[in-house]
Amino acid sequence: MSESRRLRIGVVGCGAVAQVQHLPNLAFLREEFEIAGLCDLSETLARSAAEEYRVPAWFTDLRDLLAADLDAVLLCQSDPKVSAALAVLESGRHLLIEKPVAFVPEDVDRMAQAAADAGVVAQAAYMKLYDPAFRLLEGEIGAMGTELRFAQVNHLHTDNRHHLAHFRLRGADDLPDSTRREAVARRNADADRALGDVPGHVRSAFFHLAGSMIHDLYGLRHLFGPPERVSATEIWSGGLGISTILGWDGGLRCAATWVELERIRHFRETLEVYGPERGVILSYPTGFSRGQLSEVVIRGVSEEGEPFDRRPAVDWESPFIAELRHFHACVTEGEACRTPLAEARHDVQLVVDIARAGG
């Protein structure tokens, strides 16, 4: 491996999130990263991305990428990612892995152990924890003290194609149908291991929890610790609607809802936290946006008894870029990882628990 502070990184998976976020951001952070190789099962995606970003090498087999001179790998391929992650870690490379990191809690244990054995950084790409607005929310909640009463998550999701239509994206139109069927079979096999025999609507909700609502769940866990209980879950609309009540010792409860509204070109994701005297509301943009800031509203009552909503300024920084800078600092400076892969086990287990409670 190179000894330079500029990390030679390989990117596995050249689909939508790589094209919209990761590759442009890595190119922007050219003093911290050199994109040394790309890998995708689709030759079309790997070759075209390499041409666009002037990457010297591209591959369709992960083994060939790992034979190159790399310090680290960003893993954002289609799920499941566990086998690829283990190969990266066992090769001695640092790993930044996109969500969902896994569908089965024990698989996270295996990856975390492989990272510990190799002595490398393994960071979950939980980008919302690097959002300046989330950091602001975190500070406000800390100032509210321990007497928190209620939290609420509302995640109104729409078909990602509405967002992706704004970008010129290349598709993996050269992959045979058998490759897609095999990926679906692997995902379903993981769902079987995680859940056992469950109805179809529960399995559908499980994948939505793992792939989308995971952002809300890891945010709650980071703020309050893992919930002690899933008090109730209701799953409706064939798995396109999920509501759950999470509880913590000490009295805090969170009502969290995720709903897919496929035909409505509207996205809304909010987290609200209330104590007895003050509340704070965080609103996120879609992850397929560039240059759009999250917003924070602080709600309370003035000393004169007048209600107020205050909107503090949010630093202008992409959470995707912030998480890459943090990954670089963890590798090159030994900074403590804010989103270690090992702790993602709590989130994977919570997804399983919520889905089972709705069965």
Side-chain angles (χ1 to χ4, degrees):
M1 291 190 185
S2 66
E3 297 180 358
S4 169
R5 293 176 62 85
R6 189 173 187 233
L7 296 180
R8 291 176 54 83
I9 194 167
V11 178
V12 180
C14 300
V17 72
Q19 293 179 54
V20 173
Q21 297 290 1
H22 292 308
L23 291 172
N25 293 335
L26 284 167
F28 173 74
L29 295 173
R30 55 189 174 274
E31 294 183 1
E32 291 90 349
F33 295 96
E34 174 189 350
I35 307 175
L38 300 176
C39 183
D40 196 286
L41 290 176
S42 166
E43 179 178 329
T44 298
L45 286 185
R47 183 182 66 250
S48 61
E51 291 172 353
E52 180 173 355
Y53 290 95
R54 300 182 182 180
V55 178
W58 59 268
F59 310 95
T60 57
D61 191 313
L62 177 60
R63 291 169 295 184
D64 294 330
L65 175 71
L66 294 179
D69 179 19
L70 301 175
D71 301 308
V73 170
L74 167 58
L75 186 58
C76 49
Q77 69 174 52
S78 298
D79 305 305
K81 305 182 184 75
V82 176
S83 295
L86 288 171
V88 170
L89 295 167
E90 290 166 1
S91 77
R93 274 48 177 252
H94 303 283
L95 174 67
L96 178 60
I97 179 171
E98 262 292 352
K99 58 81 187 170
V101 301
F103 295 116
V104 183
E106 289 76 15
D107 287 345
V108 185
D109 296 336
R110 293 166 57 204
M111 293 186 288
Q113 187 60 56
D117 291 344
V120 296
V121 172
Q123 176 177 322
Y126 283 174
M127 56 86 174
K128 291 190 187 293
L129 297 195
Y130 299 91
D131 191 316
F134 184 89
R135 303 300 293 268
L136 197 159
L137 170 100
E138 196 174 17
E140 288 295 325
I141 291 174
M144 289 163 65
T146 58
E147 195 181 349
L148 299 173
R149 293 186 177 176
F150 179 64
Q152 179 169 275
V153 166
N154 279 305
H155 193 148
L156 306 183
H157 197 271
T158 188
D159 193 315
N160 283 332
R161 286 177 295 183
H162 298 319
H163 310 304
L164 297 177
H166 299 286
F167 301 94
R168 289 186 174 180
L169 300 182
R170 297 177 179 84
D173 52 9
D174 57 337
L175 290 179
D177 290 340
S178 60
T179 298
R180 303 180 192 278
R181 288 196 299 268
E182 289 168 6
V184 171
R186 289 195 300 271
R187 286 196 292 273
N188 284 329
D190 279 0
D192 289 339
R193 287 198 294 132
L195 299 176
D197 186 16
V198 296
H201 71 287
V202 175
R203 180 183 293 262
S204 174
F206 172 75
F207 287 122
H208 291 309
L209 285 162
S212 181
M213 198 178 185
I214 191 70
H215 289 300
D216 308 298
L217 299 180
Y218 68 65
L220 291 170
R221 190 257 303 166
H222 185 85
L223 293 169
F224 311 121
E228 273 74 30
R229 68 194 65 83
V230 178
S231 300
T233 298
E234 183 174 6
I235 298 170
W236 72 96
S237 191
L240 296 179
I242 307 159
S243 285
T244 188
I245 305 294
L246 308 176
W248 287 259
D249 292 343
L252 176 65
R253 297 293 182 270
C254 177
T257 294
W258 184 96
V259 180
E260 176 82 11
L261 304 171
E262 312 101 299
R263 299 179 183 179
I264 298 177
R265 297 188 181 187
H266 174 74
F267 177 91
R268 183 168 177 81
E269 183 180 3
T270 58
L271 168 60
E272 304 181 44
V273 181
Y274 294 94
E277 299 180 357
R278 180 169 293 204
V280 58
I281 304 166
L282 170 58
S283 300
Y284 293 111
T286 170
F288 292 113
S289 66
R290 293 177 183 165
Q292 185 176 353
L293 295 180
S294 298
E295 298 178 349
V296 173
V297 175
I298 300 168
R299 180 164 292 167
V301 178
S302 70
E303 293 181 357
E304 293 76 24
E306 294 295 323
F308 67 82
D309 280 357
R310 181 166 61 85
R311 290 171 169 78
V314 175
D315 289 343
W316 195 282
E317 183 178 32
S318 159
F320 285 96
I321 288 178
E323 78 175 354
L324 283 171
R325 284 184 166 138
H326 178 71
F327 180 63
H328 182 272
C330 291
V331 173
T332 63
E333 301 173 19
E335 187 170 311
C337 186
R338 181 170 168 83
T339 57
L341 175 59
E343 291 185 4
R345 189 198 203 280
H346 296 295
D347 313 315
V348 177
Q349 183 65 61
L350 183 56
V351 167
V352 173
D353 293 344
I354 291 172
R356 283 177 175 167

